[in-house]
Amino acid sequence: MSADYQVIDDVAVITLNNPPVNGLGLATRTAAVEGLDRAARDPAVKAIVITGAGKAFSGGADIREFNSPKALTEPTLHTLIRTVENSAKPVVAAIHTVCMGGGLELALGANYRVALPGAQIALPEVKLGLLPGAGGTQRLPRVLGLETALDMIVTGTPVLSDKLAGTLLFDELLPAGSDLVAGAIAFARRVADVRPLPKVRDRQVGHPDAAGFLAAARARVKVAAGPFPAPVECVETVAASVEKPFEEGLKFERERFIHLTQTTESKALRHAFFAERAASKVPDVPADTPVRAIRSAAVVGAGTMGGGIAMNFANAGIPVTILETKQEALDKGLATIRKNYENTVRKGKLAADKAGQRVGLIRGTLDYADIAQADIVIEAVFEDMDVKASVFRRLDAAMKPGAILASNTSTLDLDRIAAFTARPQDVIGLHFFSPANVMKLLEIVRGAATGKDVLATALALAKKIRKTGVVAGVCDGFIGNRMVEQYIRQAGFLLDEGALPQQVDAAIEAFGFAMGPFRMGDLAGNDVGWYIRKRRAVESPDLKYSKTADLLCEQGRFGQKTGAGWYDYQAGDRTPRPSPWVDNMIVRHSHDLGIGRRAISDQEIVERLVYALVNEGARILEEGIALRASDIDMVYLSGYGFPLFRGGPMFYADTVGLPTVLAAVEKYARGYHGEAWTPAPLLVRLAGEGKTFNG
């Protein structure tokens, strides 16, 4: 059973008990309905209290049953709520800590609600591209009013129970520290004989100008929703609570809910939801694998990346020491960190005292001996193997036994780096993305000798510092940068053939990317790619690139930091402005190559950039560099600005259809630099079998 039943004098108490958040799975729903029926049959029971065990009333649907037959097996959530609402004896929902989604809809079906302060109240379904489907859009406006309810449903943002005190949602808000169940039982006894039993469905939604408010809300939400249909549908279903009788509104809500479940956007959001949770699971690293304690950290390098990495630890309350070779570089790095925190305070996103506490957790040093006792050290120095070798030999000699030695390398061979030490089992890649204190992605690179406990520790650390950790194997560029190299190669070839940077960027941004490849290059620094291409010329001389990026860098146009890159920039202004010099350079280069420039459609631009990611992603998946296709999607959703509503490159390919993707790849393989388009064997096989990457 996942709901407990007991009778205390004349009150039955049903306690939802399905850890960790009392998800309303089939077993829980069944036990709750059985408890309600049992209480109904017992003449000694005058009232019923429903509450939740542990640290939640209920977080809503049990995610383990999403997309499974159990979600629709009787008793469904609708049946449970109807049983509560139709009870001949008063039902009191005793709410604490978390009351969200279906949990809140269940509470709204009760006759009364009592709560403790600090409980998070929310209908967050919109974040999965859905709307509340068990009466939430019809009942919440009847207790909170049209405006408050609409805001909660459209945004999905939790509101503390304290903020809702005095509304019809709660019949009583108990003092902090109260015994919730005892208070709910006492309340239940006071109302046990009150008839008729109050029902939320019998209330009317009051508003002085509902039509005017809803018209304004429709216009506002439509703009804010962008490509996502759910927020707009939320407005329409909430409007039904005003415009339709309750049962008609309930039916309309259900219709719109079912419609949204079939939209690509909702499927993409649900895919991302599950992908993020799957990413932390490694088949040969059990959940009970021991982890190493991380009580202190060190970072080698006080540059932009090193400083951002250090801030992650300070934000999580972990003391961190930054090591540099020169005092000037150390002082500059620490000053930048202080400035970053000051800017956050100025924007109202962090209290000044908390910023001071975090700054106080960061100190600097020029001596390896000062970081020797750190539990983890992350190297964030220049992306050059000789430089990495020097640092890791020093770390191997200085760090205490059992310390984790991590590299922030974005492309280099982690196994070679580990070989510079006598403890390769302690070496792991922790590839942060810039700005490291902001970007969610953390690529966790597992070397051939990396210990399972080290990997488990890295995954746990990612959660602690609020990153999305994705495990990758060792290869040049790992998951993200290996794929993006093919994307950037195609962007360069498009310039050779007839496109200009602003057209390529505009096309891929219209597709939904946060930033196109040329704007991204200007932001990151075009010299970074230049350095990698020089290394490639030695290591992989057959790998061809457009020469336009080299011509750009030879002029010192490294991007925003130099005021000129693929675009021109004005002092103090990051707005990219098309550059006549760059346009002329590109056209001249096409002429020098003997290529007649042609008009290139936006569709071709999008296909070549996105399918280049997909084709390389298929190779990465087949080689085992990524554990699963959804891990690749998470890398691109959380680190590379791939549009969330499209679900990541591999999910997007699934929605387009792999035969369609393969046909395009084969077409481009017959074109300019067709050698870059050799179809990945996995893509060919899955397309032939009618399967998907995420199937």
Side-chain angles (χ1 to χ4, degrees):
M1 300 293 286
S2 55
D4 303 321
Y5 181 89
Q6 63 176 321
V7 176
I8 301 176
D9 296 329
D10 53 356
V11 177
V13 179
I14 299 171
T15 305
L16 308 175
N17 192 356
N18 181 18
V21 293
N22 300 320
L24 295 170
L26 177 59
T28 305
R29 300 193 304 267
T30 300
V33 169
E34 288 174 355
L36 288 161
D37 290 343
R38 186 173 171 183
R41 294 192 304 268
D42 188 345
V45 171
K46 291 187 175 182
I48 304 164
V49 168
I50 299 179
T51 191
K55 296 182 178 180
F57 172 77
S58 173
D62 191 330
I63 63 170
R64 292 166 291 194
E65 293 186 3
F66 271 32
N67 304 323
S68 79
K70 283 186 175 181
L72 299 175
T73 301
E74 290 289 352
T76 64
L77 179 57
H78 288 270
T79 300
L80 171 58
I81 294 171
R82 189 163 56 248
T83 304
V84 169
E85 193 173 52
N86 291 338
S87 171
K89 299 175 182 180
V91 180
V92 180
I95 296 167
H96 67 95
T97 319
V98 172
C99 181
M100 295 186 181
L104 179 54
E105 290 175 305
L106 172 61
L108 288 166
N111 305 110
Y112 304 96
R113 286 154 298 281
V114 301
L116 289 174
Q120 296 186 71
I121 311 298
L123 290 173
E125 288 82 356
V126 71
K127 295 181 180 180
L128 294 180
L130 300 170
L131 54 81
T137 65
Q138 303 307 296
R139 291 188 176 93
L140 195 65
R142 286 171 158 82
V143 294
L144 290 185
L146 184 60
E147 297 189 20
T148 301
L150 181 67
D151 182 65
M152 286 182 64
I153 292 168
V154 165
T155 66
T157 304
V159 178
L160 293 181
S161 52
D162 321 43
K163 303 288 186 182
L164 301 172
T167 68
L168 296 174
L169 176 60
F170 299 125
D171 297 278
E172 188 172 335
L173 194 66
L174 300 175
S178 298
D179 183 324
L180 174 62
V181 173
I185 290 172
F187 180 89
R189 286 188 179 125
R190 291 200 301 272
V191 299
D193 297 322
V194 174
R195 296 294 185 277
L197 293 173
K199 296 181 180 180
V200 171
R201 65 184 291 146
D202 295 334
R203 300 182 187 277
Q204 297 301 311
V205 182
H207 193 281
D209 181 17
F213 170 75
L214 287 168
R218 286 183 174 105
R220 171 175 51 83
V221 171
K222 185 176 181 180
V223 172
F228 295 101
V232 175
E233 293 283 7
C234 285
V235 176
E236 296 308 320
T237 50
V238 169
S241 72
V242 179
E243 299 166 352
K244 299 176 184 291
F246 182 81
E247 284 297 336
E248 287 185 25
L250 210 59
K251 181 182 177 184
F252 181 71
E253 175 194 82
R254 190 64 185 163
E255 290 171 352
R256 303 324 297 162
F257 175 84
I258 292 171
H259 164 71
L260 286 173
T261 64
Q262 302 306 310
T263 62
T264 300
E265 294 82 3
S266 176
K267 290 176 181 177
L269 287 172
R270 284 178 280 155
H271 170 70
F273 177 84
F274 287 110
E276 185 170 5
R277 282 146 186 80
S280 63
K281 296 175 174 63
V282 180
D284 66 331
V285 181
D288 60 355
T289 301
V291 298
R292 303 186 188 184
I294 304 296
R295 300 187 184 91
S296 63
V299 177
V300 181
T304 301
M305 183 60 76
I309 293 171
M311 290 177 69
N312 285 300
F313 286 99
N315 293 346
I318 300 172
V320 57
T321 302
I322 302 179
L323 172 71
E324 257 294 351
T325 55
K326 295 181 180 178
Q327 189 66 46
E328 181 183 5
L330 181 60
D331 291 343
K332 181 180 178 182
L334 293 173
T336 299
I337 290 171
R338 284 193 295 272
K339 184 178 179 182
N340 286 340
Y341 278 121
E342 288 167 1
N343 288 339
T344 306
V345 171
R346 192 176 303 115
K347 293 174 183 176
K349 295 181 178 179
L350 185 67
D353 60 335
K354 289 194 173 178
Q357 290 169 9
R358 295 177 185 184
V359 170
L361 289 170
I362 303 172
R363 68 186 188 95
T365 185
L366 304 178
D367 190 345
Y368 274 84
D370 288 340
I371 66 170
Q373 296 305 308
D375 297 311
I376 186 170
V377 56
I378 301 174
E379 159 274 308
V381 300
F382 188 65
E383 187 76 345
D384 179 89
M385 188 60 82
D386 291 338
V387 177
K388 307 282 190 189
S390 174
V391 169
F392 270 83
R393 289 188 179 110
R394 295 285 299 274
L395 291 175
D396 189 35
M399 301 304 295
K400 69 179 182 181
I404 294 175
L405 313 185
S407 174
N408 182 55
T409 180
S410 58
T411 57
L412 299 178
D413 186 338
L414 186 78
D415 291 331
R416 280 189 64 195
I417 292 172
F420 298 131
T421 77
R423 41 172 136 177
Q425 73 281 359
D426 293 336
V427 177
I428 195 166
L430 293 179
H431 178 209
F432 289 80
F433 287 71
S434 186
N437 56 305
V438 175
M439 295 295 287
K440 279 196 69 178
L441 178 62
L442 177 60
E443 250 184 341
I444 300 173
V445 185
R446 183 183 192 177
T450 301
K452 291 183 181 181
D453 62 329
V454 172
L455 182 56
T457 303
L459 286 163
L461 178 64
K463 291 181 180 179
K464 186 163 188 175
I465 62 175
R466 297 187 176 183
K467 300 294 183 188
T468 300
V470 180
V471 177
V474 175
C475 67
D476 199 323
F478 317 124
I479 296 173
N481 282 342
R482 175 172 159 181
M483 288 170 62
V484 85
E485 184 166 20
Q486 301 307 319
Y487 170 92
I488 291 171
R489 286 179 74 204
Q490 286 303 314
F493 294 150
L494 284 162
L495 298 186
D496 293 349
E497 294 180 79
L500 293 173
Q502 52 269 29
Q503 182 196 359
V504 175
D505 283 349
I508 202 67
E509 288 165 16
F511 175 79
F513 267 80
M515 190 177 293
F518 299 107
R519 285 181 60 203
M520 182 177 71
D522 278 2
L523 178 63
N526 294 310
D527 50 327
V528 176
W530 196 24
Y531 178 82
I532 292 172
R533 289 191 300 278
K534 290 175 181 177
R535 178 164 66 84
R536 291 279 190 275
V538 175
E539 297 173 355
S540 305
D542 294 335
L543 193 62
K544 303 301 181 185
Y545 299 85
S546 167
K547 296 293 183 184
T548 49
D550 293 346
L551 295 172
L552 188 82
C553 290
E554 286 167 6
Q555 299 300 313
R557 295 180 69 101
F558 296 151
Q560 291 184 14
K561 60 187 174 185
T562 59
W566 293 105
Y567 298 91
D568 291 332
Y569 300 89
Q570 295 179 357
D573 184 358
R574 297 190 177 209
T575 304
R577 293 173 171 81
S579 168
W581 183 90
V582 170
D583 292 351
N584 289 333
M585 179 269 287
I586 291 169
V587 172
R588 285 197 309 272
H589 183 60
S590 297
H591 181 267
D592 292 344
L593 291 171
I595 296 174
R597 293 177 66 79
R598 64 182 176 88
I600 298 177
S601 70
D602 287 356
Q603 179 182 348
E604 180 179 342
I605 291 170
V606 169
E607 284 186 354
R608 285 174 63 174
L609 295 188
V610 176
Y611 293 169
L613 292 175
V614 171
N615 198 41
E616 194 65 22
R619 296 184 192 282
I620 285 171
L621 194 57
E622 191 163 36
E623 293 169 19
I625 299 300
L627 291 171
R628 50 187 76 87
S630 62
D631 284 359
I632 296 174
D633 289 332
M634 280 315 302
V635 166
Y636 269 81
L637 291 172
S638 56
Y640 289 84
F642 198 95
L644 179 59
F645 68 94
R646 299 193 190 274
M650 312 311 281
F651 181 84
Y652 175 71
D654 290 343
T655 63
V656 170
L658 298 194
T660 301
V661 175
L662 177 59
V665 169
E666 291 173 335
K667 178 182 72 174
Y668 294 127
R670 297 189 291 271
Y672 181 63
H673 279 294
E675 78 281 353
W677 285 105
T678 302
L682 180 63
L683 173 60
V684 175
R685 178 171 64 79
L686 292 178
E689 295 173 353
K691 295 181 179 178
T692 62
F693 290 121
N694 287 285

